[in-house]
Amino acid sequence: MSTFYDQKIIWITGASSGIGLGLVKVLSKQSCTLIISGRQEVELQKIKQEYEKGGAEIYVLAFDLEHISTFDKLTQSLIDKYKRIDILFNNGGISQRAIASDTPLSVDRKLMEVNYFANIALSKCVLPYMQQQQSGIIAVTSSITGKFGYYYRSGYAASKHALHGYYESLYLENKDWGLQVTMICPGSIQTAIAQNALNNEGKSNGKEEQRLQEGMDAEHCAKQIIKAVAQKKKEVFIGGSELLPVYLKRWFPNLFWKLMYRLKH
Ligand SMILES: NC(=O)c1ccc[n+]([C@@H]2O[C@H](COP(=O)([O-])OP(=O)(O)OC[C@H]3O[C@@H](n4cnc5c(N)ncnc54)[C@H](OP(=O)(O)O)[C@@H]3O)[C@@H](O)[C@H]2O)c1
């Protein structure tokens, strides 16, 4: 695994906290270059200072995923500096805690904008350079909610489902020259995702959730992501018993629906 990431130029979005920060912590021990992104520049600079000692070179590129028109220039600036991008961890995102009937379309749009449109827009910017290189990896943080809908997450689930359709097509179209796409579907990971989730007013939910706090540690999750990408997996599910509905839906749909009704709270 260690040699796989050596000398690679790796761009990580959502690197300022949670799973993205976990990726930085683990990959910073390798001889690679990490471009770390998020909106919180001060936080990203602190992360650079703390983890650059590990071996990797770390470069901070702060930007807002809602500002899609800036992506071309940002990508070009990285190409000017590093000449290539080997891996894009398209990880930044926001969740939702609001029932569909109470949620105005503006909130659904915001979820799609950040989780889907920004995600594919960044891939569109990076893809031509990967094609020139005749190699490249796009690792996309979806969710188990990208495989089945769940209470209070209608817009979030839609945005994550959309990623699978898009990236399966992108992979098929670009497989011949060597594009790798790895779809990452975490279950419950200990991060600030629930606090940062949008409520029906489009504001941060602000509440921790016990289920997530009891979930997998973000660094452990990052290690599994890093392994799956190195093993060229097309899709990986990361978590514990919360992954069960994914398999039930596929193989025992009636049981899946019974279980999901029971989970109503
Ligand atoms: N934790 C889980 O249980 C879980 C489960 C399944 C999937 N996921 C997915 O994992 C990914 C990472 O989430 P996390 O759990 O690590 O949550 P998190 O701690 O809240 O991290 C979210 C990251 O996304 C970035 N981000 C959010 N909105 C942004 C915007 N408008 N522009 C730029 N960056 C933005 C944040 O950076 P700034 O605040 O600096 O902007 C932050 O670094 C997300 O795609 C999420 O859907 C998480």
Side-chain angles (χ1 to χ4, degrees):
M1 188 182 86
S2 60
T3 50
F4 183 83
Y5 291 94
D6 269 2
Q7 311 310 320
K8 295 239 183 341
I9 310 292
I10 304 169
W11 191 359
I12 306 171
T13 69
S16 59
S17 75
I19 296 172
L21 176 56
L23 290 170
V24 177
K25 287 183 188 174
V26 180
L27 288 171
S28 65
K29 294 173 189 144
Q30 313 268 331
S31 316
C32 56
T33 299
L34 301 178
I35 299 136
I36 60 170
S37 295
R39 286 163 301 184
Q40 303 174 69
E41 181 151 19
V42 174
E43 201 52 42
L44 291 167
Q45 290 293 353
K46 279 190 208 155
I47 291 166
K48 172 182 159 77
Q49 285 206 336
E50 186 164 355
Y51 293 101
E52 208 165 34
K53 296 160 203 151
E57 178 192 337
I58 301 184
Y59 177 72
V60 171
L61 187 67
F63 69 95
D64 191 327
L65 285 168
E66 287 192 77
H67 300 162
I68 287 177
S69 61
T70 64
F71 291 7
D72 265 329
K73 273 198 181 149
L74 292 170
T75 308
Q76 187 60 55
S77 74
L78 293 179
I79 294 295
D80 292 346
K81 193 169 167 61
Y82 295 111
K83 313 292 175 227
R84 56 190 290 125
I85 295 165
D86 296 301
I87 308 178
L88 170 62
F89 281 98
N90 234 329
N91 166 76
I94 36 170
S95 191
Q96 176 187 24
R97 294 296 184 272
I99 62 169
S101 55
D102 274 355
T103 302
L105 195 60
S106 57
V107 174
D108 294 288
R109 279 196 198 282
K110 182 162 174 153
L111 289 158
M112 285 304 281
E113 201 62 31
V114 174
N115 293 346
Y116 176 70
F117 285 112
N119 190 307
I120 69 159
L122 208 53
S123 293
K124 279 179 192 287
C125 291
V126 166
L127 192 71
Y129 299 106
M130 290 185 166
Q131 190 160 12
Q132 267 173 30
Q133 296 159 199
Q134 294 283 287
S135 70
I137 300 173
I138 301 178
V140 181
T141 311
S142 171
S143 167
I144 53 169
T145 319
K147 292 288 173 175
F148 59 87
Y150 197 63
Y151 303 97
Y152 306 104
R153 288 160 178 74
S154 50
Y156 178 70
S159 68
K160 295 295 188 182
H161 273 70
L163 290 171
H164 288 266
Y166 183 87
Y167 281 103
E168 283 172 14
S169 307
L170 189 81
Y171 168 70
L172 289 171
E173 289 168 4
N174 294 280
K175 175 187 177 298
D176 286 349
W177 59 258
L179 177 70
Q180 177 187 328
V181 174
T182 299
M183 298 301 294
I184 299 149
C185 303
S188 300
I189 314 297
Q190 289 169 31
T191 72
I193 192 90
Q195 290 100 300
N196 296 334
L198 301 182
N199 63 19
N200 63 348
E201 292 172 348
K203 296 187 179 139
S204 292
N205 168 48
K207 292 179 206 142
E208 273 192 6
E209 272 168 26
Q210 201 186 346
R211 190 182 51 81
L212 285 185
Q213 292 321 310
E214 288 168 356
M216 186 185 281
D217 166 72
E219 205 173 319
H220 187 188
C221 172
K223 282 184 185 155
Q224 295 204 24
I225 292 173
I226 286 162
K227 194 170 159 198
V229 168
Q231 290 176 338
K232 303 189 190 315
K233 293 244 167 93
K234 291 191 178 57
E235 197 165 69
V236 60
F237 295 89
I238 301 172
S241 59
E242 73 278 14
L243 305 182
L244 184 66
V246 175
Y247 304 105
L248 287 182
K249 189 178 179 190
R250 192 181 301 164
W251 303 112
F252 306 101
N254 290 339
L255 202 56
F256 165 80
W257 287 111
K258 267 188 199 155
L259 174 77
M260 295 321 260
Y261 294 139
R262 278 212 201 132
L263 292 175
K264 190 168 183 180
H265 47 273

